[in-house]
Amino acid sequence: MRLPREPAHALTLAALTAAVALILIAAGGNGSSNSVAIGAASWKGLAGSQRPRVAVGQRVIVLLNAPSLADRLGDVGGLATDEQERRWTATSLASQRLLISRLAVEGVGVQPEFSYTHAVNGFSAAFDANGLALLERSPEVAGVYPVRAAYPASIPSSLTSGLAPGFGHPPDTGLSSEDGRGVTVAVLDTGVDRAQPFLRGRVTRGIDIVGGSRDADAAPNPDEPALVERHGTEMAGLIVGSGGPGGMAGVAPGATVLPIRVAGWQRDASGRWSVYARTDQVLAGIDRAVDPNDDGDAHDAARVALVALAEPFAAFTDGPLARAAAGALRLDTVVVAPAGNDGPAGPSYGSISGPGGAGAALTVGAADLRADYAEARVVVRAGLAVEFDQVVPLAAPAFPRKAVDSAVAAPRTAGAAGEAPAGSVPLVNFFDRRGRDIVAGRAALVPLGSDPATTFSNAALAGASSVLFYGGSVPGGALRLDQSAPIPAVSIPDATAQTILTRLRAGVPVSVSIGAADDAANNADDRVARFSSTGLAFDGRVKPDLVAPGVGLGTSEPTGSTGSAPYGTVNGTSAAAAVVAGDAALLAQARPDLDAESLKGVLVGAARPLPSDPVTAQGAGLVDVGAAAATEVTALPTSLALGRATGTKWHTTQQLQVRNVSVRRLRLSLDVEVAGEGAAAIDFRIRPQQFFLGAGRTINFHLTARVTSAIDGDAPVQGYLVVQPEAGNEIRVPWVITFGPPEHAALNNVRLSSRALKPSDTQPALLSFVAGAVPRSDTGQDVQAVQQLDLELWSPTGGRIGLLARMRDVLPGRYSYGVTGRDPTGSLLPPGDYTLKLIAYPTDRSGTTVRTVPFTIE
């Protein structure tokens, strides 16, 4: 569906609130029996940083219709001189200045915070309601988009001692013959500690987008200098680290990291310092990754750009970051992005984070490839009674070599078992009101909460000898080995914890014995990690594209003020994306003839499917850079958006391309492999199905899918399009077909605070509504966003007066606007009856949803 452009006039509508109130779900007994249930292990709070609430003010991203450098380069087939590129970049900048000058003439002053000319053409700035209205009616403007927060998509851990042999070593995913030498990987993240010996000599001086950090170094918290940004240093270590303990090294130690600091210490909505990025800062980072020296010529573009941050649930395919990923690809830079750490969802739309929803981005989920983890026997006694006796996983990587015996104590916040706090147990709560340490030398009994990693760290800082979690179960090896004190941690059942708390309150001594560690097989081995976000993107495309190791990976930590060289482990899809960024560097060195599109294509196409996971969780499968190095064909696109089957007569036809990236003529055959049956049978037809393809040549073909049975339920059908050379490696293109009625954008609870009002700029009537939804199904929950939402003013006779406001890329939430009683020109409305009309467009561009609210101007 083609979305209408607003008429030549629009209303200056004052938005009282621009904040989104998301509806999303953030994402035993007595005796010695070994049958006590602890509960399913949860990764909640153990992969991905905590997300502070961020106030972005009135910032928006404005994209122009005038072409960017990437657009110009695409129009001429990808070849241009340095002088041509500099001229085109200057022309893009001139188009922005022309618009800003025209806005100034109309009384709207614009002070751009960032200007984008390479991957996209546009700028970011703060606008009031009048300025937004002028932008929306300007023919030069392609779209105005919200600025949102993005967060590191891995959680760090610090360790210095007590490591089991081989602990924290990243799995071997590299090429033995290559080390990435000569390839630059831009890391868009927090600052990087270039003084870390693990990184020394392999990290260049960087680019600071956030400000306040020279050369994009890891910056300290302005109020607490001992707290230093960590995430960028960790990601850099996964890519280029070398010479770590026990042979620990990154994937591509010969490559060069260009740090671009797009995230760091910034004030959050509460006024405190937090680590995060804004999407306008990430967009500026992508624009610099393709032109590091900022001279307007992109021939020095980084071959790979790792965006190690996630904009939660924002799997939009047409927003600024998605367009920037496509622009970077045209400028020969592969953008690698994490899928996010919000766990499984679906079946129609999932929990993919931005910019991972972009078709051009190489989106990476996390797999758990650990062969085993440690477990130990835990015995809890209250007085003479044994309350718990069971072998359980060790949640932290401090593996006791002999039994750890200690008394049990609970911090001041611990209540009834199962009542988890909203976040973590603060450090102060491990001390009584007189300042005496409650848990020093004892096992701390703590609720799991949503941030168990911080609770564990605080318990260690308070001197606890071990940690007992209740209210949930922490997966084996998921917690960090804290630098302050390497202590073990385990989970115990809620019923046992309730008994212990009751005994402690009665003054009964409680003790615990945690036995020596032993190895246990990891049942999640070769599986997608349970925290890894799943597809689909908002256009129905399979995301992530592939998965990579993302659990317990060893890497570097900032040196800090001590000058020591700490190391740690990380969990998360950012870590997995860093591994793939390193793999891309190896492949770029091994096959310098591949352009960015082909580089992405062979990495995705050569991935190895994991038999126990759905396509929506793994895409094409586990990254296999060795197979990618020998792959001779690529497909475009690398994943398909076949859409939703709405009835028994549903069918779709899509055109794809296959490119021969080898030096020989190939005979190819195409087939469809169904990996999971769903609610109906699907028939596939491919034309042509077999053909010869010369070296360097490309061929178009058509894939038709058709429902051939009754539809029973909503379980998706999923599988792969397989391209098989007569001799050589096959490639796979993942696809998913979902089932259900035609989608309509969710728009509910529309209310106007007063139906009779007098025009007022200071006391407007409040229009509130809920846009989008998060419905549940048998297979999970869908994040249903709204692509565009228009608010129009209509006359009493049914004529359209004009556009009041427009929102793009709307995440599910409650929104409120102030209706001032002015017409589209800003003049006061005369007395009479009027109608407000809300029009919501779904992300698949199908049916619109309309809601009307009558009101009267007195």
Side-chain angles (χ1 to χ4, degrees), residues 635-657:
L636 183 68
T638 56
S639 62
L640 294 179
L642 294 183
R644 177 195 297 248
T646 57
T648 56
K649 296 182 179 180
W650 175 89
H651 63 89
T652 185
T653 298
Q654 294 196 11
Q655 178 175 291
L656 296 88
Q657 290 184 338

Side-chain angles (χ1 to χ4, degrees), residues 661-704:
V661 294
S662 75
V663 295
R664 66 188 182 106
R665 185 170 181 255
L666 298 174
R667 183 180 181 182
L668 302 172
S669 62
L670 309 179
D671 200 2
V672 173
E673 175 184 311
V674 177
E677 301 287 350
I682 304 291
D683 177 65
F684 293 91
R685 301 291 174 88
I686 304 172
R687 303 187 314 272
Q689 193 164 4
Q690 292 185 340
F691 47 84
F692 287 93
L693 190 60
R697 301 296 297 272
T698 299
I699 189 173
N700 296 329
F701 67 95
H702 292 85
L703 171 69
T704 298

Side-chain angles (χ1 to χ4, degrees), residues 382-449:
L384 298 178
V386 175
E387 303 293 344
F388 180 72
D389 184 352
Q390 190 170 331
V391 176
V392 299
L394 285 163
F399 304 150
R401 304 304 177 191
K402 58 182 181 179
V404 176
D405 300 316
S406 59
V408 176
R412 283 189 287 124
T413 53
E419 295 180 2
S424 60
V425 178
L427 178 60
V428 67
N429 288 50
F430 289 95
F431 298 82
D432 65 19
R433 301 189 185 282
R434 297 181 179 180
R436 293 178 297 192
D437 197 323
I438 300 173
V439 299
R442 302 183 179 189
L445 177 65
V446 296
L448 188 65

Side-chain angles (χ1 to χ4, degrees), residues 419-519:
E419 295 180 2
S424 60
V425 178
L427 178 60
V428 67
N429 288 50
F430 289 95
F431 298 82
D432 65 19
R433 301 189 185 282
R434 297 181 179 180
R436 293 178 297 192
D437 197 323
I438 300 173
V439 299
R442 302 183 179 189
L445 177 65
V446 296
L448 188 65
S450 63
D451 187 10
T454 299
T455 295
F456 175 70
S457 178
N458 289 340
L461 288 171
S465 61
S466 59
V467 173
L468 308 178
F469 283 106
Y470 67 91
S473 180
V474 181
L479 280 168
R480 58 176 172 246
L481 177 63
D482 197 272
Q483 183 173 345
S484 60
I487 60 175
V490 296
S491 300
I492 64 173
D494 288 352
T496 302
Q498 178 65 69
T499 300
I500 293 173
L501 290 169
T502 301
R503 298 288 193 273
L504 289 173
R505 284 192 290 268
V508 177
V510 180
S511 64
V512 63
S513 176
I514 300 177
D518 198 4
D519 289 338

Side-chain angles (χ1 to χ4, degrees), residues 208-220 222 229 261 265:
D208 185 14
I209 301 295
V210 174
S213 176
R214 181 181 177 184
D215 299 324
D217 291 332
E229 297 167 356
R261 185 172 175 260
W265 296 107

